[in-house]
Structures are given as C-alpha cells and as structure tokens.
C-alpha cells in the first residue's frame, strides 16, 4: 500500500474529529443569527461567547479582548493598519518589523508606505532571530507600532517575544505579534509577555479554515478595518461565522491543553529528522537549531531545485513544501531564506517538513529512507551539482 | 498541477546524462533563477544522432528537457532548429502558465548546443542559429 505522510502542518492541519463534531450543531439546527432575539439565536450567541472565553483562556487574556476575524491575514491587516492609522492622528508614522514576516504583514506594510508611513525592517541574522538591542535602537519618537512574528512560518525560529514586549512597554510603543504559527505549539501569556495585539488562525491547530482572531489589549484603540454592523462590540462588522468560531474555540482549548505532551513528542521527531537529513552531503539546516518550533525542519540541499524534490516526495506519498521560486509562482525564492543570507541557488533547493500531531516516528524513518535517494537522483542529473563537485575537486 | 504526460517525463526522463565525445554542448539558464539546462549532441551527416541532457530545475524544466530531446533525436539540424517552445509545450499537453518560461529554456538549450557544434566545425553559427538570448524571464531582475 502506498504510504501517505502529511508533513506540511505549517501550511494547514487536519481538522480534528472533536472540532468537527463541536461545529455540526451550528451548521444544522442552530443557524440563528446571533444578533436576533429568538431562542435559537440565544444558542448561537452563547456559543460565540463561549468560544471567546476559550480563546481568551488559551492566551491569558480576557474574553472582551478577543475579536473574531476571517483568519490570520485579516487579523494582521486589522492590527497593523488599525494601529498605524490611529497613531498617525498623533503624528506617529514609523513602524518597526522584520525582514522575514509573513506576506500578510509585509504587504500590509507596503500598502501603508503608500499612505506615507516609514517602515524599518530589522535584520533577522543567519540564525533567523531578531536581536532585541537592535529593536530598541530602532525605536524613535514617532514609532507607532512594533510588529514581530512569534515564530517564523518557514524556518520555525521563535523570537524573543517577552523581551520585545518588555522593550515596547518601556518605550510606550504598541506591540503586535503574528502568532499564527505559535498558537497551539507554544505557551503564550499575553499579559506576562506584554503583547498588545496578537493574530491567530484556527486552521493551524486543527480548527477550520477561514476563521481567526485578533487579541487587542483592553484600552488599546485601533481603527476598524471592516465597517458595518455592531458585531464584535462594534469593532469588526459581519454576521459571525458561528460554526467556525465554535470550532476555533474547541481547537484552541484542545491544542493548548496538549502543548507539553506535543512538544516532547515533536521535538524528538524533529531532531531525528534533522540529524538524519543532515547526513546528506552539502545540506544545511535553516534557522536556529534550538529556538525553533517543535515540528519544524527546514533544510537546503545544494545542487537541486525544491519543486523537483517536492514532486518526488509526493510520488512517495510525502506532502511537504519548499521555498524555491518554482513553488512561489514567482522567480525569486522565499524572502525568508534570502533574509537569513542564503544565496539564491541554495534557497531554491530548500525543503520544509512540518510535523504535527498526526505524525509518528515511523513517518520520520520513512522520510529518511527515501530522501537521500531522491536527492542523489536529482543531483545526478543536475549540471549545477556537477559544477559544485568540480569546484570541490579543484 | 501537471498533466500525466508531464509527470511521466519528470519521473522517467528520457535521454538523461552526458555524451563524453559530444559534437556540441550547450548550456542555458543560471543557478540564481533556479534553472540550468545542459544539452549534449552527436551529429553525423547533419543529423542529430544522439542527444543527452542534464537539468537543474523544477518539474517542468526536467519534463521539457526530456521531451525536447525526444523531439530532436534523429532529426536533421535544420529541423531541430525549428523546434519552438510552443511545440514543446503542445507535445507535453500543456503547462501551467507560470511554467511556460521553462519550455523556452529547452528550445534555447538545443540552439546553444547546435551553435557549439558549428563553432567546433569552424562555422560562425550566428547566421544559421541566430542570437540565443538567455531566458527572458531571468532578466526581470
């Protein structure tokens, strides 16, 4: 039988049975609009508020600080545009971020530049980590916002969020973090870490797609992004996506309860996969080895191109992803890999395997049993590899 | 994303390898763009009697190299020079829009190998083969 190994959990995760079951009543009998008065609406309204309390509990926040959105991209757009436009009223038009943010952040910043904002992108160095002293040095009188991702989606590096929060608090600057990859994988406490705003997305931790949340600390005023009705306390219009919000609540509760157990299991699998893959000659691990998400493996193999590698892995039943240009539908490889200093040619040959709850050590061993052969076969037909070896033998 | 035929040429590429005593060798593309194609040809009485390739690149780069070698093997040089990227794409049953530039590389790699053959014969290839541009898409940078 052909094996099937899903090792792309940073892209999305399989919704759990528990999540799906919790959602079903709100797709079937409880379809009432939460804003209506009759009793079936009372049930949907209660369900949304219950999910809000669950989400708040998972982050160490208060329920009224949680606002449901359509997902990570909307949360990022809202937090950044909303905070920037609010601060601009006081003449603050400078934003600090990093070079390797998700496009939901980077493209939002590009859009704000057109509105006259100035953006400083911090270097993430060869290990994929922001330096807090560099962040502090970048803060100016007119800095409106600092937005730094919690954990990187490609190389999995986990940023010093509490230290960044501390510095932002000291300087009175708002701090937003895109925690889409972190929620459900790492313990988060928005109060202890001085986080003012945090974006999350349900489908990254076995919830449904198309739903997320933005945590906004009490007292933080940001402009609305979606205007309309009075939903979400008048801050985000649109009839609530009730079933998905319920699914988010179930998923985040389950995920956070299992973090310790999951971390132990995934870290062991991740490290075995990294060690095994690095036995292949001329390979390198991208991103800090220790300060990374428990399930993230990102390795570059010189002399081959990532899409070919993915197609072959798919032939063997393994789902993975790559930062090669051919997988981004553009000609440049991943901006994340370039930001940590990889040459284009090496970035094209990158492979991301993101392990999750459904993976086992047997999966890791199977991946390691097929990977070296695929890399060798592609190298054997690669004129670039031929060049590399020629250089080596000089 | 890819048709069965593309995947067939990708997973079982025809004519992979090198020709040690090749009569012409052409290379096109660069590592920065993520595509390099190298073509080797043997020529006898103006006919391409053998062809091999090596490719660093994505699935469609490998598949277009493979099918292009099949299309020119046994053909007179004049015929091989007529091979267009459009014909390569058609022979593969189509490629996704953002992959079309890979088929241009295959056409250019063949022309580059033929130009090399003429140079080795002491013949200026330009009037016969024309100017071989690099992959146009690479010049976006």
């Amino acid at each position: 039988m052909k094996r099937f190994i899903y090792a792309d959990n940073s892209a999305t995760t399989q919704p759990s049975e528990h999540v799906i079951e919790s959602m079903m009543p709100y797709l079937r009998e409880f379809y009432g609009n939460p804003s209506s008065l009759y009793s079936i609406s009372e049930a949907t309204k209660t369900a949304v508020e219950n999910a809000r309390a669950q989400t708040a509990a998972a982050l160490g926040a208060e329920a009224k600080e949680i606002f449901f959105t359509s997902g990570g991209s909307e949360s990022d757009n809202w937090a950044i545009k909303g905070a920037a436009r609010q601060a601009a009223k006081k003449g603050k038009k400078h934003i600090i971020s990093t070079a390797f943010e998700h496009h939901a952040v980077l493209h939002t910043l590009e859009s704000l530049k057109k509105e006259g904002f100035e953006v400083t992108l911090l270097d993430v160095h060869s290990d994929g980590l922001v330096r807090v002293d560099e962040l502090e040095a970048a803060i100016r009188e007119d800095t409106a916002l600092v937005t730094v991702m919690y954990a990187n989606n490609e190389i999995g590096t986990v940023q010093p969020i509490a230290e960044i929060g501390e510095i932002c608090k000291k300087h009175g600057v708002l701090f937003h973090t895109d925690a889409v990859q972190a929620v459900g994988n790492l313990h988060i406490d928005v109060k202890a870490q001085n986080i003012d705003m945090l974006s999350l997305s349900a489908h990254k931790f076995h919830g449904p797609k198309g739903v997320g949340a933005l945590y906004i600390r009490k007292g933080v005023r940001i402009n609305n992004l979606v205007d309309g009705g009075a939903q979400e306390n008048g801050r985000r219009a649109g009839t609530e996506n009730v079933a998905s919000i319920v699914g988010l609540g179930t998923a985040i509760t389950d995920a956070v309860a299992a973090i310790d157990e999951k971390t132990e299991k995934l870290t062991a699998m991740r490290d075995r996969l990294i060690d095994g893959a690095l036995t292949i000659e001329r390979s390198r691990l991208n991103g800090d080895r220790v300060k990374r998400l428990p399930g993230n493996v990102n390795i570059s193999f010189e002399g081959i191109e990532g899409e070919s590698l993915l197609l072959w892995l798919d032939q063997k039943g393994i789902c993975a992803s790559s930062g090669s240009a051919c997988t981004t539908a553009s000609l440049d490889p991943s901006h994340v890999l370039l930001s940590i200093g990889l040459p284009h040619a090496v970035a094209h040959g990158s492979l991301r395997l993101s392990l999750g709850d459904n993976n086992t050590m047997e999966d890791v061993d199977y991946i390691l049993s097929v990977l070296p052969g695929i890399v060798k076969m592609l190298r054997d037909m690669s004129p670039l590899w031929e060049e590399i070896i020629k250089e080596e033998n000089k | 994303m890819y048709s069965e035929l593309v995947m067939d040429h990708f997973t079982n590429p025809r004519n992979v390898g090198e020709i040690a005593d090749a009569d012409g060798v052409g290379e096109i593309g660069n590592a920065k763009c993520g595509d390099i194609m190298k073509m080797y040809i043997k020529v006898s009485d103006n006919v391409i009697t053998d062809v091999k390739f090596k490719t660093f690149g994505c699935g469609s780069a490998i598949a277009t190299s493979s099918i292009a070698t099949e299309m020119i093997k046994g053909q007179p040089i004049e015929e091989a020079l007529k091979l267009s990227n459009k014909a390569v794409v058609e022979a593969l049953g189509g490629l996704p829009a953002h992959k079309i530039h890979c088929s241009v590389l295959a056409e250019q790699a063949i022309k580059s190998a033929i130009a090399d053959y003429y140079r080795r014969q002491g013949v200026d290839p330009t009037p016969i083969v024309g100017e071989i541009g690099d992959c146009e898409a690479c010049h976006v940078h």
Side-chain angles (χ1 to χ4, degrees), chain A residues 67-364:
Chain A
F67 300 88
F68 293 115
T69 66
S70 63
S73 293
E74 184 191 327
S75 295
D76 286 340
N77 269 266
W78 181 18
I80 296 167
K81 287 176 181 162
R85 289 167 187 163
Q86 181 71 27
K89 293 176 195 165
K90 294 179 194 153
K92 292 188 173 185
K93 299 197 83 174
H94 175 236
I95 303 169
I96 299 170
S97 189
T98 76
F100 73 166
E101 294 295 311
H102 190 275
H103 284 135
V105 170
L106 286 181
H107 290 172
T108 297
L109 294 173
E110 282 305 312
S111 151
L112 284 171
K113 276 192 196 170
K114 290 179 196 139
E115 292 178 28
F117 287 88
E118 202 186 321
V119 175
T120 300
L121 294 181
L122 299 170
D123 188 358
V124 289
H125 301 265
S126 59
D127 54 10
L129 294 166
V130 166
R131 302 296 188 266
V132 286
D133 55 328
E134 291 176 7
L135 165 74
E136 188 160 26
I139 295 176
R140 313 190 315 209
E141 278 294 304
D142 64 339
T143 302
L145 175 73
V146 168
T147 174
V148 174
M149 71 198 320
Y150 206 118
N152 184 269
N153 50 310
E154 290 185 37
I155 57 173
T157 50
V158 180
Q159 304 307 310
I161 294 299
E163 287 92 327
I164 295 171
E166 187 72 43
I167 286 166
C168 290
K169 190 185 175 190
K170 189 172 111 189
H171 292 273
V173 177
L174 275 184
F175 172 39
H176 164 255
T177 184
D178 171 352
V180 164
Q181 294 291 336
V183 173
N185 281 312
L186 303 169
H187 288 292
I188 296 173
D189 184 330
V190 289
K191 303 292 174 203
Q193 294 171 300
N194 288 300
I195 297 167
D196 295 310
M197 293 183 283
L198 178 146
S199 302
L200 64 88
S201 179
H203 74 101
K204 304 292 190 185
F205 46 85
H206 304 287
K209 292 167 184 65
V211 65
L214 179 64
Y215 151 80
I216 310 174
R217 181 192 289 278
K218 194 169 55 185
V220 170
R221 287 188 57 199
I222 65 169
N223 284 14
N224 286 358
L225 184 72
V226 182
D227 291 311
Q231 292 90 353
E232 300 297 293
N233 209 15
R235 299 178 78 171
R236 197 277 189 182
T239 298
E240 297 84 346
N241 183 358
V242 180
S244 293
I245 289 170
V246 168
L248 190 165
T250 308
I252 201 167
T253 306
D254 290 352
V256 169
I259 286 180
D260 292 331
E261 185 193 335
K262 180 177 168 181
T263 302
E264 195 186 330
K265 182 188 145 187
L266 290 187
T267 306
M269 283 162 41
R270 176 197 73 189
D271 291 346
R272 178 138 147 185
L273 189 48
I274 291 173
D275 290 336
L278 287 180
T279 61
I280 296 172
E281 63 176 320
R282 287 189 175 263
S283 59
R284 57 161 280 168
L285 177 70
N286 298 315
D288 189 84
R289 168 129 200 180
V290 179
K291 291 173 183 164
R292 68 189 302 131
L293 288 170
N296 177 285
V297 177
N298 190 309
I299 298 212
S300 294
F301 301 101
E302 285 183 45
I304 62 170
E305 193 279 328
E307 192 207 74
S308 298
L309 183 55
L310 294 189
L311 290 170
W312 265 113
L313 286 169
D314 185 44
Q315 292 286 311
K316 305 283 182 188
I318 300 164
C319 308
S321 66
S322 167
S324 104
C326 277
T327 59
T328 60
S330 72
L331 289 164
D332 281 319
S334 138
H335 69 285
V336 174
L337 297 175
L338 297 180
S339 78
I340 59 167
L342 257 65
H344 277 67
V346 180
H348 286 303
S350 77
L351 170 68
R352 180 187 73 179
L353 293 154
S354 43
L355 304 169
D357 298 294
N358 300 343
N359 294 118
T360 62
M361 210 46 116
E362 284 71 44
D363 291 348
V364 170

Side-chain angles (χ1 to χ4, degrees), chain B residues 76-92:
Chain B
I77 284 181
E78 305 83 72
E79 287 302 309
L81 283 173
K82 285 184 201 156
L83 184 77
S84 67
N85 70 301
K86 197 161 163 265
V88 172
V89 174
E90 274 169 15
L92 279 172

Side-chain angles (χ1 to χ4, degrees), chain A residues 303-305 307-309 311-312 315 325-327 329-333 344-345 348-349 377-387 390, chain B residues 1-2 7 10-11 13 16 18 27 31-34 36-38 40 53-60 62 98-99 101 137-138 140-141:
Chain A
I304 62 170
E305 193 279 328
E307 192 207 74
S308 298
L309 183 55
L311 290 170
W312 265 113
Q315 292 286 311
C326 277
T327 59
S330 72
L331 289 164
D332 281 319
H344 277 67
H348 286 303
M377 178 184 49
L378 290 170
R379 281 177 170 173
D380 282 347
M381 65 184 292
S382 163
L384 179 60
W385 180 248
E386 194 182 303
E387 289 289 314
K390 235 182 248 166
Chain B
M1 183 169 85
Y2 291 129
M7 283 309 292
F10 171 70
T11 52
V16 177
E18 298 167 29
E27 187 174 308
K32 192 175 178 231
C33 292
I36 302 174
M37 251 175 229
K38 200 168 178 180
Y40 300 79
F53 81 93
K54 277 183 127 180
T55 291
F56 157 76
C58 61
S60 53
I62 291 171
H98 64 282
K99 296 289 188 181
H101 79 272
C138 293
V140 174
H141 298 284

Side-chain angles (χ1 to χ4, degrees), chain B residues 2-10 14 60 63-72 83-95 100 103 106 110:
Chain B
Y2 291 129
S3 68
E4 260 180 54
L5 188 59
V6 174
M7 283 309 292
D8 180 46
H9 276 274
F10 171 70
R14 324 316 189 236
S60 53
T64 51
S65 309
S66 168
I67 202 161
T69 59
E70 276 198 327
M71 291 168 87
I72 62 161
L83 184 77
S84 67
N85 70 301
K86 197 161 163 265
V88 172
V89 174
E90 274 169 15
L92 279 172
L95 280 175
I100 298 294
S103 62
I110 290 167

